[in-house]
Amino acid sequence: MTGRRRRVPESKTHRRRNGLLLGGGIVVAGAIAAAVALWPSGGGSPSRNSVSPSGASPSPTVTYPLSQTPRTIPAVREHVPARGPGWRPAPGARVVVGNASLDDEGRLLAGELGMTYAGRTAARDGDVELGLAGSGDQESYTMTVQNRRVRITGPGDAGVFYGTRTLKQEVHGGGTAPEGVVRDAPAEPRRGFMIDIARKYYTAGWIEDRVRELGDLKYNELGLHFSDDQGFRIESSSHPEIVSQRHLSKAEVKRIVDLAASRHITVVPEIDSPGHLGAVIAAHPDLQLRSVSGAAPRGALDISKPAAAKIVDDLLDEFAGVFPGAYWHLGGDEYRALTVSNPAASYPQLAAAARAKYGANAGVADLATGWLNDRADVMRGHSRTTRAWNDGFYRTSVVQPAKDLEVAYWTGKELGARQPAEYLGAGRKVINYNDEFLYYVLGQPQTFVYPTGQRIYERWNPRVLRGTTEVPARYDGQILGGVFAVWSDRAYAQTQDQVAAGIRMPLRATAQKLWDPRTPALSWTQFLQLANRLG
């Protein structure tokens, strides 16, 4: 165990694309439509009327207009308006919880809004109450603002947490949460951000700041690509010889993982293989792949050697204990032996190993596919769900990629590229990493340009897996979501602070389209203004 508090098992999370699954404690709209408040309003300009039952002595009352839909990022998917003053923190207001598992969410919200955390006690006027209720999507929630109180409920802790993010944004800078009922849930179950910390060192504090930002935007994955040709950036006890001088300690990583867990974010590690292992090969040159002419393609392991599998499996076993989340990225992309016209002629040792292991008809692609399957077996032993880059799924004659390997679809430019529909048509689950929208590549090498939030907001959605073309709607159930990725190809092109500034609006636009892929209600200009107001 890692000291993390109890989380809802991944297997209990259910998807919802059309409409919302609602938790318990929902207030019927008609029951709150005539709410009248007796304290100052931030939710609309009230009108005053002189009314007296006897007609003899007028007394003032306050009537409020119907509330407006909250303005948050991502936008809430449903709001039932009502009449009333809304809610904002007032002196003496508290956060209370109905379930002990919501203690973390309650304490966090109380601290953010300058309120008192009162734990498990009855709510009173002015309070925010958090509770578990209902069944269904563990990330759904209902937030009711009524009778000078806020009640946030959901089937799981994650949904309640997202409700607190909505409330935090609504009252940001002294604003008011509008009267009424919010019913909300994400369209996509995987909403991620990935950072390449292998090519460029990022401080633990910078990563923690991104975790807080991701939590407020309702992301639920943080990918860490920490091994590549330029560096291996996390302390290792099994192979300390491969670790770069500038790296994160395991203690720092634990703080990141724990902080992420408190925001209901799963950290998804990636040790890419059998390519992109230059940092490992630098310490173990005997594992370098060499062609028949003696050429050594950078970062490529000679997977005909048993020692190559052993060192990678050592690392997988070690870091499975460092990253306890449900998901693992195996990489598998850009193996240089399969980017030449005749792999068997260029790398006869790989061809011989393929035939020896899989039979006379096997080729180098079969050997590479078998390598990926073997690494997936290792992580399956740690109860992980695995994914690999789409260009690591080769057309093979003998060995097929494991059926449960998820496709991280990023490119359609590789040798023998296949359209996303080919993976989907084969029944595979796919995660959208579209490199034309969701890749922020430092220094803009090759044909890459820094993505803009506006382009994502106006032209991308999870069905746009390659280029700008959507796949058919019948594949919605197989598209698990998307990931915005920062790659550090030219490490010194930007400082880490410049990276944070550069990805600010793309992260917000991606969050919006993963939460609700429909055309947003706000124009880009309005969305940008909202983002600047919320901070």
Side-chain angles (χ1 to χ4, degrees):
M1 300 297 290
T2 64
R4 298 166 65 226
R5 61 183 177 78
R6 179 180 62 81
R7 299 287 304 278
V8 177
E10 295 289 340
S11 61
K12 294 185 180 179
T13 299
H14 302 286
R15 308 187 66 203
R16 184 70 174 184
R17 290 182 175 275
N18 299 314
L20 300 175
L21 285 173
L22 304 180
I26 297 172
V27 178
V28 177
I32 61 175
V36 176
L38 304 177
W39 58 303
S41 166
S45 300
S47 61
R48 296 185 176 272
N49 302 300
S50 295
V51 178
S52 171
S54 65
S57 178
S59 60
T61 62
V62 179
T63 302
Y64 294 93
L66 279 175
S67 59
Q68 300 295 311
T69 300
R71 290 293 179 93
T72 60
I73 297 175
V76 301
R77 301 186 70 187
E78 181 183 342
H79 176 246
V80 180
R83 298 184 188 279
W87 179 93
R88 68 173 66 180
R94 308 171 306 164
V95 177
V96 303
V97 300
N99 307 82
S101 67
L102 296 173
D103 180 74
D104 287 355
E105 287 78 10
R107 290 184 185 279
L108 177 63
L109 182 66
E112 291 169 330
L113 300 185
M115 300 171 66
T116 298
Y117 178 66
R120 297 186 68 185
T121 189
R124 64 193 187 197
D125 285 355
D127 285 353
V128 175
E129 181 181 8
L130 310 180
L132 298 178
S135 60
D137 188 343
Q138 299 292 300
E139 295 191 308
S140 67
Y141 69 93
T142 299
M143 184 173 75
T144 303
V145 180
Q146 180 190 20
N147 295 335
R148 293 177 286 183
R149 299 181 188 178
V150 178
R151 177 170 170 77
I152 300 172
T153 62
D157 293 7
V160 175
F161 172 73
Y162 296 140
T164 68
R165 301 306 86 193
T166 295
L167 182 63
K168 176 186 176 182
Q169 288 192 32
E170 287 176 325
V171 301
H172 176 82
T176 299
E179 203 86 7
V181 179
V182 167
R183 301 183 181 102
D184 205 10
E188 306 297 340
R190 310 278 185 87
R191 306 178 303 280
F193 168 64
M194 191 226 79
I195 179 72
D196 167 15
I197 66 171
R199 293 180 176 96
K200 179 180 178 69
Y201 172 78
Y202 292 83
T203 64
W206 187 90
I207 298 171
E208 289 168 357
D209 285 344
R210 302 289 74 70
V211 169
R212 296 183 185 95
E213 182 179 16
L214 296 175
D216 283 352
L217 295 171
K218 299 173 185 166
Y219 282 88
N220 62 5
E221 284 190 6
L222 168 65
L224 291 181
H225 175 93
F226 65 93
S227 169
D228 213 301
D229 297 338
Q230 295 84 348
F232 191 99
R233 297 290 181 182
I234 299 178
E235 172 189 356
S236 171
S237 55
S238 66
H239 288 281
E241 74 281 0
I242 70 173
V243 178
S244 301
Q245 182 178 5
R246 300 190 75 194
H247 64 272
L248 300 175
S249 70
K250 285 186 177 178
E252 288 175 317
V253 171
K254 185 179 187 305
R255 288 198 296 273
I256 292 167
V257 169
D258 289 348
L259 178 64
S262 76
R263 266 65 173 177
H264 296 273
I265 295 169
T266 299
V267 179
V268 183
E270 182 190 358
I271 299 177
D272 201 346
S273 76
H276 293 281
L277 283 170
V280 172
I281 293 170
H284 296 271
D286 54 308
L287 301 181
Q288 170 69 57
L289 176 66
R290 295 187 181 278
S291 71
V292 69
S293 66
R298 187 180 189 188
L301 282 183
D302 187 337
I303 59 176
S304 69
K305 296 181 176 182
K310 183 181 185 307
I311 193 169
V312 172
D313 290 350
D314 287 347
L315 294 169
L316 293 176
D317 286 333
E318 176 185 359
F319 284 96
V322 176
F323 298 101
Y327 306 117
W328 197 278
H329 202 317
L330 296 171
D333 64 314
E334 299 180 322
Y335 186 47
R336 299 299 182 86
L338 287 164
T339 62
V340 297
S341 58
N342 190 336
S346 295
Y347 301 99
Q349 76 276 32
L350 300 183
R355 292 191 296 270
K357 188 169 184 178
Y358 299 114
N361 293 325
V364 176
D366 294 292
L367 189 67
T369 300
W371 168 278
L372 196 62
N373 288 346
D374 289 346
R375 308 295 76 76
D377 281 342
V378 171
M379 297 316 299
R380 214 173 279 118
H382 293 287
S383 301
R384 302 299 198 271
T385 297
T386 54
R387 71 188 67 165
W389 299 113
N390 64 285
D391 55 328
F393 288 75
Y394 301 105
R395 286 193 175 95
T396 53
S397 57
V398 178
V399 183
Q400 297 299 313
K403 292 292 185 183
D404 60 349
L405 262 177
E406 298 173 348
V407 180
Y409 198 97
W410 73 281
T411 185
K413 303 179 181 73
E414 78 279 13
L415 184 68
R418 286 174 280 173
Q419 293 286 340
E422 186 171 335
Y423 299 89
L424 294 164
R428 291 202 177 272
K429 295 179 179 179
V430 176
I431 305 168
N432 192 325
Y433 287 76
N434 188 328
D435 66 338
E436 293 191 29
F437 285 91
L438 306 180
Y439 264 33
Y440 191 96
V441 186
L442 298 194
Q444 304 181 105
Q446 301 173 43
T447 60
F448 289 108
V449 295
Y450 293 130
T452 67
Q454 182 172 2
R455 189 164 183 262
I456 295 167
Y457 190 78
E458 295 177 344
R459 299 185 60 187
W460 180 83
N461 68 65
R463 285 187 202 156
V464 181
L465 286 158
R466 175 177 175 178
T468 59
T469 304
E470 292 187 8
V471 299
R474 66 178 178 272
Y475 294 127
D476 276 357
Q478 292 170 242
I479 300 172
L480 300 177
V483 176
F484 185 88
V486 172
W487 292 99
S488 307
D489 289 42
R490 295 177 180 168
Y492 299 104
Q494 291 188 342
T495 66
Q496 61 180 19
D497 290 339
Q498 287 173 324
V499 172
I503 65 176
R504 180 176 174 274
M505 287 311 300
L507 272 180
R508 283 152 179 76
T510 305
Q512 174 61 45
K513 301 306 282 288
L514 290 171
W515 194 264
D516 186 348
R518 298 173 298 181
T519 301
L522 300 182
S523 69
W524 170 251
T525 299
Q526 292 170 323
F527 185 80
L528 181 60
Q529 290 170 345
L530 176 62
N532 290 338
R533 180 173 66 80
L534 295 177

